[in-house]
Amino acid sequence: NHPLGPDGEKAWPKKYPFCGGVFQSPIDFHKDILQYDSNLLPLEFIGYNVPSTDQFTLINNGHSVKMYLSPTMYIRNLPFEYTASQLHLHWGNRNKSEGSEHTVSGKHFAAELHIVHYNSEKYPDVTAAMDKSDGLAVLAILLEIGPFNPFYEKIFRHFRNVKYKDQMVQVPGFNVRELLPDRLDEYYRYEGSLTTPPCYPSVLWTVFRHPVKISQDQLLALETAMYCTESDDPEPLEMVDNFRNVQEFHERLVFISFR
Ligand code: GRE
Ligand code: ZN
């Protein structure tokens, strides 16, 4: 059994009780649970255009590939001001490119980008915020196959330098807004959790309705570039299928900004 994703996750609640608890993510967006809310405004992104003289650290943490963001990046138009912390991806494998965490009417997308922010009005840093009910805001971008995407390539071109766990590389700053879909006004909004242990129910989710396209080659690079294991491990473990299954969503609603 693979330690990540659908196989590994059955064992999570024993060690991490929140993983078996309430407000868990991801979920399937299907029509019975969706409710239009006219108050959902497009988010505003401040400081997202990071100069190339600044650098982001990209790291293979053994579960995903994660890029630390600049504390000068933040979002407005949520209940609080949220400051950027990191982004990371979830994906499938080369034979089954169905690695998104959230699904729409039961359908997976190829992969999913998460941009994690913390409530910087109430908490001093992401560690203090991550277990608080109003602690985090995560933007989720669904990825599907299409033309080559030069903006995602600004991250993907560094994968060769983070093949193994704990490897890291510096990435020149760029406009992180370019990773988002053109339409920022249409999204799903609900209260959920981290999708990895300890699964704290602390995340205000914004999942954009419109997927972003990356090429077949770029997706394959994501699905095959990395290992969960360190470079000297005698039993290398490919980093694939690092998505969690959709969770029960009883008695809850997802608010949508579109009809
Ligand atoms: C994750 O590890 O996948 C994760 C975080 C923080 C927020 C959401 C999330 O680390 O999915
Ligand atoms: Zn995630």
Side-chain angles (χ1 to χ4, degrees):
N1 271 10
H2 202 281
L4 301 178
D7 287 334
E9 72 191 52
K10 291 189 208 81
W12 292 355
K14 219 182 304 166
K15 205 165 155 206
Y16 305 98
F18 284 109
C19 299
V22 294
F23 292 109
Q24 290 298 289
S25 295
I27 57 168
D28 177 46
F29 301 127
H30 60 277
K31 67 173 187 356
D32 306 348
I33 61 165
L34 304 180
Q35 180 163 300
Y36 174 68
D37 181 349
S38 62
N39 296 315
L40 295 177
L41 301 173
L43 302 181
E44 268 188 62
F45 300 93
I46 319 294
Y48 261 52
N49 193 357
V50 176
S52 60
T53 46
D54 287 5
Q55 304 211 302
F56 300 123
T57 299
L58 185 74
I59 179 168
N60 175 334
N61 63 9
H63 324 279
S64 184
V65 58
K66 169 158 91 171
M67 195 175 85
Y68 289 101
L69 296 171
S70 163
T72 57
M73 297 169 55
Y74 62 97
I75 317 181
R76 278 199 202 128
N77 266 349
L78 286 169
F80 299 94
E81 203 165 270
Y82 290 84
T83 296
S85 169
Q86 45 105 342
L87 62 73
H88 62 269
L89 293 125
H90 300 268
W91 60 89
N93 65 69
R94 74 184 88 186
N95 299 313
K96 195 171 181 196
S97 296
E98 297 182 1
S100 72
E101 297 211 294
H102 292 91
T103 59
V104 178
S105 305
K107 178 185 167 299
H108 273 278
F109 287 77
E112 186 168 325
L113 174 73
H114 289 160
I115 312 181
V116 178
H117 302 71
Y118 71 95
N119 180 343
S120 46
E121 274 186 49
K122 288 184 69 170
Y123 307 109
D125 53 47
V126 69
T127 310
M130 68 187 293
D131 63 345
K132 309 301 190 297
S133 63
D134 56 1
L136 302 183
V138 179
L139 310 181
I141 295 98
L142 301 164
L143 302 183
E144 67 181 11
I145 291 173
F148 176 81
N149 188 315
F151 307 110
Y152 277 73
E153 193 65 14
K154 292 179 185 191
I155 301 173
F156 287 19
R157 62 189 295 267
H158 299 280
F159 285 166
R160 76 184 90 162
N161 301 115
V162 291
K163 284 187 84 64
Y164 299 102
K165 182 173 188 285
D166 298 335
Q167 290 184 335
M168 57 181 97
V169 66
Q170 296 302 116
V171 174
F174 61 91
N175 189 354
V176 178
R177 169 69 186 77
E178 307 281 15
L179 302 175
L180 275 49
D182 293 334
R183 294 280 307 258
L184 296 174
D185 57 325
E186 299 196 333
Y187 57 81
Y188 304 89
R189 165 69 49 74
Y190 77 101
E191 292 190 49
S193 74
L194 309 190
T195 65
T196 55
C199 306
Y200 294 131
S202 59
V203 178
L204 185 60
W205 282 94
T206 301
V207 181
F208 290 101
R209 182 191 192 186
H210 298 282
V212 168
K213 293 176 167 61
I214 61 172
S215 73
Q216 177 85 255
D217 287 350
Q218 288 179 304
L219 180 62
L220 186 66
L222 177 63
E223 290 166 343
T224 59
M226 285 165 286
Y227 292 84
C228 300
T229 41
E230 292 176 27
S231 58
D232 59 356
D233 197 299
E235 292 184 62
L237 191 55
E238 291 182 352
M239 191 181 284
V240 292
D241 296 329
N242 60 351
F243 64 94
R244 188 187 194 189
N245 274 333
V246 296
Q247 305 292 302
E248 303 263 18
F249 199 67
H250 23 210
E251 327 265 299
R252 287 196 277 164
L253 286 176
V254 172
F255 299 96
I256 53 176
S257 66
F258 55 91
R259 306 184 194 258

